Amino acid sequence: MFVRAMPSIGLPKLKMSDGPMGLQTFGPATAFPSGIGLAASWDRSLTDQVGVAFGQDARARGVHFLLAPGVNIYRAPMNGRNFEYFGEDPYLAAQIAVPYIRGVQGQGVIATVKHFAANNSEYDRARIDSTVDERTLREIYLPAFEAAVKEGGAGAVMDAYNQVNGQFMTQDTELNLKILKGEWGFQGILMSDWEATHDGVAAANGGLDLEMPSAKYMNPTTILAAIRGGTIPVPVIDDKVRRILRTSMQFGFFDRDQTILDVPLYNPLSKAVALQLAEESAVLLKNDGAILPLDRHKTSSIAVIGPNAYPAVTGGGGSSQVAAMVPVSFMDGLSNGADASTKVYWNAGIPSPSDIFSGSAWCSDPTCTSPYLIRDEYIEATQEKVFSGTDRRVDHWSSGEVKDLAVTHRRVEWTGYFVPTKSGPYRFIADGMDEDRYQLFVDDKLVFETHVNEGQGQAPQTALINLTANQPAAIRFKYWPVTDQVLAGLGVIAEDELVDPRAVALAKMSDVAVVTVGFGPDTESEGIDRTYELPYGQESLIKAVASVSPHTIVVLTSGGSVATQNWISQVPALIQTWYAGQEGGTALSKLLFGDANPSGKLPITWERELDDNPAVKTYYEQPGTRNVNYSEGMFLGYRSYDKSGTKPLFPFGFGLSYTDFEWDDIRVSPERSSSDGPIVVSFEVKNVGSRAGAAVSEIYIGDPSATVPRPVKELKGFSRDVLKPGESRHVTVSLNRRSLAYWDVHSHAWKVDPGEFVVLVGDSSNHLPLQKNFVVQ
């Protein structure tokens, strides 16, 4: 996390911190809501404040480089880092990235835009090859990076792990040199992601300025030999040195101490901004019968149920995970925000993996004479058994008992039986550490196995198996650790015992049931892709609670859409909080009780079923290759749904409010123009409801007379306006040539076809009540 000092020229040691959700690297810090939540706010002004708060938190810790923002595009919901990014639309992502960067850098901290480019999944991220055509790259996957550089003035860009069209990003001359540094004029520092460099000479010639976290490849031995051999020209190295020194000078690193002592580590500004963002980012997706907001004076009891109720789940996993200063859980927030006489109950609803591991009963033989599994350890290469023992539980067991700790590259096997007490489906669950690999066999049939690659993490694996009462099931759990530590877990539970009956009883006796479900740092994280389905037991919990409580509110924590078809019709209210940061509980309380009016809008399209997603069929590698084919091209997200006519569950830009808005009187000036001049779109928006609220007006452009295939419409502007009841606002949005253009693969440039265009205005991609045609000559 450092660039070494060079005292001879006065260059200090330069300090870096991970940062998409807060200053992650150097102790406790403010945990902000996730990047996708920032995009869901559609609030440029707040985004600038978030950047300022990040910059101040960085200066309080002496940090020179903030490794944020992440601006990769949301392609499919499984990507484990979607929660760090700004959604599916390149225009929205760019509009959020620019003020964020300006806010950070205004505090004297370098913002590092990542991960350049086409890094849209976590599975096998260090080796996959994103195959993307030129036009799709330019129109979907590069605009946020382009805006970050050209408009935001980003001081650093981080190359991704993956390949793009056959080249690792750290040595991609087309993207790094021709486009980033050449066409866009990037003058800052291009660094690698951690361990993303593969060839020192190729990376040096491919535009990489700084290899992180160490000079494994771009080191004196390699570089000097290449210079002397003529394979790296000296000016290439000179340029890298200039970039590092020039950027350090521009940000004042030579002139001052980076640490500002009068900015507190626990910054009140950061806390306030984190709370405001948690309020503005939440998206109210369903509110049948106007069940929300709750009347706190008429709500005598609330059951807060679910695995995400307590403790607080501030963010997903990986390098973005922050040790929050004072995290407020959903349970704490509702307890603090409810009327003093209101009873607030809490129950996790379903057992955690650790609960299942520790509660599982195993047998050493079919007659169950001994309550344990047999554990054997082998040297993998020779199959020599080096240890034999027993374990009553496989409960994140560590290898402290192993007699020869020097033995690595070994296999651990647990064998025995599970004897079910009743017939029916049983949930088997296993977990492992980082890059360890394992397999579970039940009655000699492979139930599941992990395919862990270099640089990958892993989430718990589960499977349902039908078993017969009193009929022993043979268990073999094989585990391959990569270190001398074994952190394995294995458990089993009857599926109909997953939901705690006490949680259902609490829901039945309470006025309101708030069911908090979703993912967390163990199931949605850097290094892994997550499931589209909610983790085990959560759908059953929702349905069980909804069956006894007509006032069930589902609160979702995730980095994107999840499967809802089995339960959404049974609940009257659904609110997506993404990852709400340390103030998430306080924000949820304010939203549910009406102290804050929901104003978040989806920065993604929420499919009814996963197969509706245009990228899902080619999201993973083609069989036998590392190629990920972006076959949907530019028709991603709402662009695809418009083309196919498929109806999403919730459209891009959608979000409910406790008030209502109307749009009227759209005008375009001039109605006939050249493509070079600005085109001004104006309209009126009015709050016609009884509460103050924020209207997010979305402006889309369509090009029906284009000479090439284009989306039906594309987001090209938006305005967020807070209005009192009955208040109107005249909104103007200026469009430029780029707002009308597509990427022409023949001229390799942006092009506008003369003809008729249409501008559409409303509050989601599927609700655009205003429409006006204009002509470009």
Side-chain angles (χ1 to χ4, degrees), residues 125-126 159-163 168-169 193-196 198 526:
R125 62 181 181 172
D159 269 339
Y161 287 108
N162 54 284
Q163 300 177 66
F168 281 108
M169 275 306 308
D193 207 334
W194 268 232
E195 303 286 352
H198 299 268
E526 176 184 4

Side-chain angles (χ1 to χ4, degrees), residues 118 120 130-137 141 164-165 628-630 633:
N120 309 104
S130 299
T131 304
V132 197
D133 68 83
E134 178 186 350
R135 186 175 170 199
T136 298
L137 266 175
Y141 296 101
V164 176
N165 297 327
V628 175
N629 185 6
Y630 286 48

Side-chain angles (χ1 to χ4, degrees), residues 81-95:
R81 296 186 86 169
N82 276 333
F83 69 91
E84 297 183 29
Y85 305 145
F86 297 152
E88 73 180 39
D89 185 79
Y91 177 81
L92 176 61
Q95 291 295 303

Side-chain angles (χ1 to χ4, degrees), residues 170 177 181 187-190 200-210 218 223 232-247:
T170 47
L177 291 176
K181 293 184 173 182
Q187 296 295 306
I189 300 166
L190 180 61
V201 176
N205 286 325
L208 192 68
D209 301 316
L210 180 62
M218 289 173 62
I223 299 300
I232 298 180
V234 170
V236 168
I237 303 301
D238 290 345
D239 179 67
K240 301 179 192 305
V241 174
R242 285 194 185 96
R243 287 173 178 273
I244 294 170
L245 296 183
R246 180 176 58 229
T247 306

Side-chain angles (χ1 to χ4, degrees), residues 702-715:
D703 183 8
S705 60
T707 59
V708 297
R710 295 196 70 178
V712 173
K713 61 180 182 290
E714 297 180 276
L715 183 73

